[in-house]
């Protein structure tokens, strides 16, 4: 099995950026530094939501070990590092007095990146809504757009002068649909009215954060959406319709809202009656100009018709090789979305802001040979190269993730890192995939 990549940095345009990505709650250790309680603390403490009831209280203790972790990014040959800021670390109650320790922490992190020659790529929200705001309705409450704008202003007043890029929300589909319709992520609701409101308000919050950052004079601002290729599981007309609806909810609602200022009819068919009053008046703020768009891509879903209510779709098992999470490996899907996003937003540079796979990676004699990850990344990076050759303006690629970390409802069992983390000793050990990047990205 291969232990190296067949590509080299020199096969890509000279300004193409290579990065790794992480998020605050998944690595920092939420109990440190005076952070407030979040919906993920609540969700994890509720039995049945998370494998082994695991939570992010210690996680990778990146809060204290960030210098070692940033060394790993720099020594791996990467150019940039995508991190997120925890709202409740900066503002424990979500509003009001900021937590000085939290602001100081992100200040140190950004300086630490710059000292190592790494470009800081910030995401403002990666899922840990302060519990105090969730008590007020969280993403269901229209005021969330203002609260989020204020948080944005507070944190970016501190670090916005030094970050290289910023995006307000990571994966609005997860914030809206997965967390309010499927109940699989915090706050764990299964409620169509809550879903309609959360899906719209998360985009409105994106708009107010963008506005706050522009008012601070910041540039290089984007949006990060996740996409999943929707494949019909059988040739029936009903399944074709179910696949169309699934695709509209997952892949079109947020992208078209952000770029065109419209929502697809196939989504409004179900969510229309539950949307907040006069939502159409918000579409101009939601579709304010962006500087780039980020694609997070992992897998495809095989969709079949499901009887019962809208959206009448369900995911069924497909035939392709799978990761340990049961996610089918389908690199062509990345090529598909690179072209689709380019067709939707022809003027915007594109970054792959997340791509990677989970393995049950084990350390043996101090080594972790994650050949399956190297093969997965190689196949997806080949799609990026092919898209660039076709004229799609892809400007960078971030691997998910730097470290093994808290994989939300799956706890710590599924490992996405280029670097192995022993969750007892917190020792970091670079895997074969990290070494493969180090070789491929070497500047000679
Ligand atoms: O770990 C997550 C991350 O938080 C968001 N994107 C997908 C990753 C893998 O599931």
């Amino acid at each position: 099995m291969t232990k190296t990549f067949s590509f080299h940095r020199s096969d890509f345009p000279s300004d193409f950026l290579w990065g790794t990505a992480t998020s605050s709650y998944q690595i920092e250790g939420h109990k440190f530094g005076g952070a407030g309680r979040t919906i993920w603390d609540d969700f994890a403490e509720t039995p049945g939501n998370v494998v082994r009831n695991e939570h992010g209280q210690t996680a990778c203790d990146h809060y204290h070990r960030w210098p070692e972790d940033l060394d790993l990014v720099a020594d791996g040959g990467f150019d940039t590092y995508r991190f997120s800021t925890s709202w409740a670390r900066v503002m424990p109650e979500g509003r009001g007095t900021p937590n000085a320790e939290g602001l100081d922490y992100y200040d140190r992190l950004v300086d630490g990146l710059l000292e190592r020659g790494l470009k800081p790529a910030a995401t403002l929200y990666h899922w840990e809504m302060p519990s105090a705001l969730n008590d007020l309705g969280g993403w269901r409450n229209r005021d969330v757009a203002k609260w989020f704008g204020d948080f944005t202003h507070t944190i970016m007043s501190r670090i916005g002068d030094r970050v290289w890029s910023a995006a307000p929300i990571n994966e609005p589909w997860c914030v809206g649909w997965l967390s309010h319709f499927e109940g699989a992520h915090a706050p764990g609701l299964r409620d169509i009215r809550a879903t309609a409101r959360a899906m719209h308000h998360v985009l409105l919050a994106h708009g107010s954060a963008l506005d706050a950052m522009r008012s601070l004079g910041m540039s290089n601002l984007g949006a990060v959406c996740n996409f999943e290729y929707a494949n019909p599981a059988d040739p029936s007309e009903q399944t074709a319709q179910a696949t169309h609806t699934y695709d509209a909810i997952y892949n079109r609602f947020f992208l078209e809202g952000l770029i065109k200022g419209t929502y697809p009819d196939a989504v409004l068919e179900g969510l229309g009656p539950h949307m907040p009053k006069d939502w159409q008046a918000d579409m101009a703020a939601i579709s304010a100009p962006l500087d780039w768009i980020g694609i997070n891509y992992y897998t495809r879903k095989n969709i079949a018709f499901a009887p019962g209510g809208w959206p009448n779709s369900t995911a069924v098992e497909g035939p392709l090789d799978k990761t340990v999470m049961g996610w089918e490996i389908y690199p062509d899907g990345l090529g598909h979305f690179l072209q689709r996003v380019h067709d939707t937003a022809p003027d915007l540079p594109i970054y792959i802001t997340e791509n990677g796979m989970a393995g049950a990676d084990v350390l043996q004699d101090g080594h972790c040979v994650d050949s399956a990850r190297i093969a997965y990344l190689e196949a997806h990076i080949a799609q990026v190269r092919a898209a660039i050759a076709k004229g799609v303006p892809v400007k960078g690629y971030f691997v998910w993730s730097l470290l093994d970390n808290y994989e939300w409802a799956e706890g710590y069992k599924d490992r996405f890192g280029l670097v192995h983390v022993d969750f007892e000793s917190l020792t970091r050990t670079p895997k074969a995939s990290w070494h493969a990047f180090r070789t491929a990205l070497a500047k000679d």
Side-chain angles (χ1 to χ4, degrees), residues 23 26 126-127 170-171 174 226 296 298 325 327 354 400 405-408 416:
S23 92
Q26 291 179 274
H126 198 124
W127 306 353
N170 186 66
E171 301 184 353
C174 294
N226 52 327
N296 291 1
Y298 291 89
M325 289 172 78
W327 293 3
E354 287 184 24
W400 184 270
N405 59 47
Y406 181 60
E407 180 51 24
W408 305 113
F416 271 93

Side-chain angles (χ1 to χ4, degrees), residues 82 170-171 223-228 251 255 292-298 333-342 348-356 384 387 392-394 396-400:
R82 179 170 175 254
N170 186 66
E171 301 184 353
V224 173
C225 294
N226 52 327
F227 298 96
E228 227 177 56
N251 301 314
L255 181 67
W292 53 270
I293 189 103
I295 294 178
N296 291 1
Y297 176 81
Y298 291 89
L334 179 55
H336 168 88
F337 285 114
L338 283 166
Q339 189 64 54
R340 202 207 275 201
V341 168
H342 179 49
L348 291 186
I350 298 174
Y351 292 88
I352 310 300
T353 33
E354 287 184 24
N355 177 232
V384 177
V392 179
V394 198
Y397 174 95
F398 293 79
V399 188
W400 184 270

Side-chain angles (χ1 to χ4, degrees), residues 12 66 105 198 257 409 422:
F12 286 77
W66 63 264
Y105 165 71
D422 177 323

Side-chain angles (χ1 to χ4, degrees), residues 69-368:
D69 294 338
L70 299 195
D71 285 346
L72 285 164
V73 182
D75 293 348
F78 295 96
D79 311 302
T80 174
Y81 175 70
R82 179 170 175 254
F83 66 100
S84 73
T85 52
S86 163
W87 190 343
R89 180 177 295 295
V90 172
M91 296 171 125
E93 297 296 309
R95 298 180 292 176
T97 312
N99 168 31
E101 279 180 271
L103 286 168
D104 290 348
Y105 165 71
Y106 290 117
D107 202 49
R108 286 196 297 275
L109 188 74
V110 169
D111 280 346
L113 285 164
L114 294 174
E115 279 157 19
R116 289 165 178 79
L118 297 166
K119 294 183 190 312
T123 303
L124 281 151
Y125 182 81
H126 198 124
W127 306 353
E128 59 283 280
M129 158 89 60
S131 299
L133 297 184
N134 196 46
D135 293 342
L136 303 175
W139 290 110
R140 285 165 290 156
N141 186 334
R142 181 183 175 82
D143 291 347
V144 73
K146 178 176 169 5
W147 303 333
F148 191 61
D150 292 345
F151 158 61
T152 302
H153 196 273
T154 301
I155 179 65
M156 287 306 174
S157 294
R158 186 66 180 267
I159 63 172
D161 57 334
R162 281 157 294 141
V163 299
W164 168 75
S165 73
I169 306 281
N170 186 66
E171 301 184 353
W173 177 86
C174 294
V175 177
W177 189 267
L178 187 67
S179 307
H180 293 82
F181 194 84
E182 297 188 12
H185 276 190
L189 299 185
R190 297 199 64 245
D191 181 310
I192 196 165
R193 183 174 164 91
T195 305
R197 277 136 207 275
M199 284 172 67
H200 181 67
H201 292 153
V202 75
L203 290 181
L204 192 59
H206 158 93
S208 62
L210 218 60
D211 197 38
M213 292 193 282
R214 297 270 185 226
S215 78
L216 289 168
M218 291 175 63
S219 55
N220 204 18
L221 309 180
V224 173
C225 294
N226 52 327
F227 298 96
E228 227 177 56
Y229 189 86
N231 186 51
D234 64 66
S236 71
E237 180 48 38
Q238 282 183 319
T239 280
Q241 185 56 45
T243 307
H244 178 73
T245 306
Y246 185 92
D247 183 65
I249 294 167
Y250 206 118
N251 301 314
R252 294 179 49 209
F253 184 88
F254 302 100
L255 181 67
E256 293 177 16
L258 290 164
I259 302 298
K260 300 181 178 174
T262 58
Y263 293 143
D265 289 343
V267 182
L268 292 176
E269 182 194 331
L271 295 189
H274 310 289
M275 293 290 279
K277 195 163 171 278
D278 294 335
W279 60 267
Q280 293 88 342
D282 296 329
M283 297 313 287
I286 286 173
S287 57
L290 293 169
D291 301 319
W292 53 270
I293 189 103
I295 294 178
N296 291 1
Y297 176 81
Y298 291 89
T299 188
R300 78 171 188 181
K301 282 279 163 35
N302 294 282
I303 305 301
F305 171 76
W310 183 89
N312 295 106
S313 65
T314 187
V316 297
E317 190 171 336
L320 303 182
D321 286 348
K322 298 174 185 61
T323 73
V324 288
M325 289 172 78
W327 293 3
E328 281 198 325
I329 300 173
Y330 186 59
D332 287 0
L334 179 55
H336 168 88
F337 285 114
L338 283 166
Q339 189 64 54
R340 202 207 275 201
V341 168
H342 179 49
D343 292 344
T344 308
D347 299 331
L348 291 186
I350 298 174
Y351 292 88
I352 310 300
T353 33
E354 287 184 24
N355 177 232
M357 66 161 269
D361 306 335
V362 286
L363 266 190
Q364 257 178 343
D365 304 326
H367 299 284
C368 179

Side-chain angles (χ1 to χ4, degrees), residues 375-386:
Y376 176 103
L377 295 170
E378 167 99 32
H380 287 77
I381 290 167
Q383 292 287 330
V384 177
R385 230 174 131 181

